[in-house]
Amino acid sequence: MSPEQLLGSVDFPEDDVVVADFEAGVGTLTRLGEEHVDTVVIVVEATPKSLEVGARAAALASERTVARIVVVANRIRHDEDLETVKAAFPGMEVVGVPHDPKIVEADRKGVAPIDLDPNGPAVLALIGLASTLIPTSN
Amino acid sequence: MKLAVVGKGGSGKTTTSSVIARTLARSGRAVVALDCDSNPNLGISLGVGDEETERLVSMRQALDEGEEEHANNWDTLISRYGSDGPDGVRLAVVSRIDNPEPG
């Protein structure tokens, strides 16, 4: 099954959460039907190429029935980086994630960033984002 | 609840997906992480380890080569081809990986 077929499958349990790490680029989004996802998280860096892919993803997500679109401004080194991303996505929700060498270290070691440095700035920013994505279960 | 994480290769999609999946699992939700990337390494960022990640990728390759019957619904895919990860996150590799695009 392709990712988009799977996400459209009728027997997906309603209370479960699926977090789908899509292929690089916007290919899967172009093939995605209506109501296959509830939330699209667009990860960008403050570089022209990354913002361009992000803008296409935002346009495609906006054409679909998506309850929420969140832009993650990743590897923020200066305030200007965050401003650059916000300017590229006017009126949209943008969450900044700071540059954090521990993420690179986790990649190098082949371990989970949330295990290597659970209180690092990047991990904490992403935990903060995650906690806004679904209503609390209790 | 279905979340899709998208972006240019190398933007940090996989790290973002992994922290979101682990955090939601810690909050008590049943979480399935789907690796749809043609360069599948979500398992490593989730903390499943490179051996188990590689095993799941091989299983996906076997599916593509017709060695295994295709999973035809959600439950089959997750129960037969998924793997249990830290915090109870269940991981499945669903990308086609015969023509990987450069990350």
Side-chain angles (χ1 to χ4, degrees), chain B residues 71-86:
Chain B
N72 56 8
N73 64 33
W74 181 261
D75 284 341
T76 311
L77 184 119
I78 302 309
S79 59
R80 282 177 60 186
Y81 303 109
S83 180
D84 287 321

Side-chain angles (χ1 to χ4, degrees), chain B:
Chain B
M1 172 81 192
K2 298 170 191 172
L3 289 153
V5 183
V6 305
K8 184 179 172 296
S11 61
K13 248 172 358 91
T14 302
T15 294
T16 300
S17 303
S18 75
V19 177
I20 290 173
R22 293 275 304 266
T23 303
L24 297 183
R26 284 178 182 180
S27 79
R29 293 298 186 118
V31 175
V32 174
L34 287 186
D35 195 343
C36 311
D37 202 331
S38 48
N39 181 18
N41 49 30
L42 177 58
I44 293 172
S45 290
L46 279 171
V48 166
D50 50 356
E51 267 180 39
E52 181 62 8
T53 301
E54 189 51 42
R55 190 185 71 83
L56 290 173
V57 171
S58 306
M59 207 148 62
R60 172 65 222 199
Q61 259 162 343
L63 279 176
D64 282 341
E65 288 157 12
E67 294 168 21
E68 297 269 354
E69 207 179 304
H70 272 60
N72 56 8
N73 64 33
W74 181 261
D75 284 341
T76 311
L77 184 119
I78 302 309
S79 59
R80 282 177 60 186
Y81 303 109
S83 180
D84 287 321
D87 296 325
V89 173
R90 200 137 175 90
L91 168 69
V93 175
V94 296
S95 49
R96 295 192 58 86
I97 44 195
D98 44 359
N99 279 311
E101 292 169 31

Side-chain angles (χ1 to χ4, degrees), chain A residues 61-82:
Chain A
S62 302
E63 287 167 11
R64 288 166 174 74
T65 313
V66 173
R68 189 167 164 200
I69 302 171
V70 186
V71 177
V72 170
N74 203 17
R75 302 193 185 114
I76 296 297
R77 289 169 183 270
H78 318 283
D79 289 346
E80 302 93 84
D81 288 345
L82 187 57

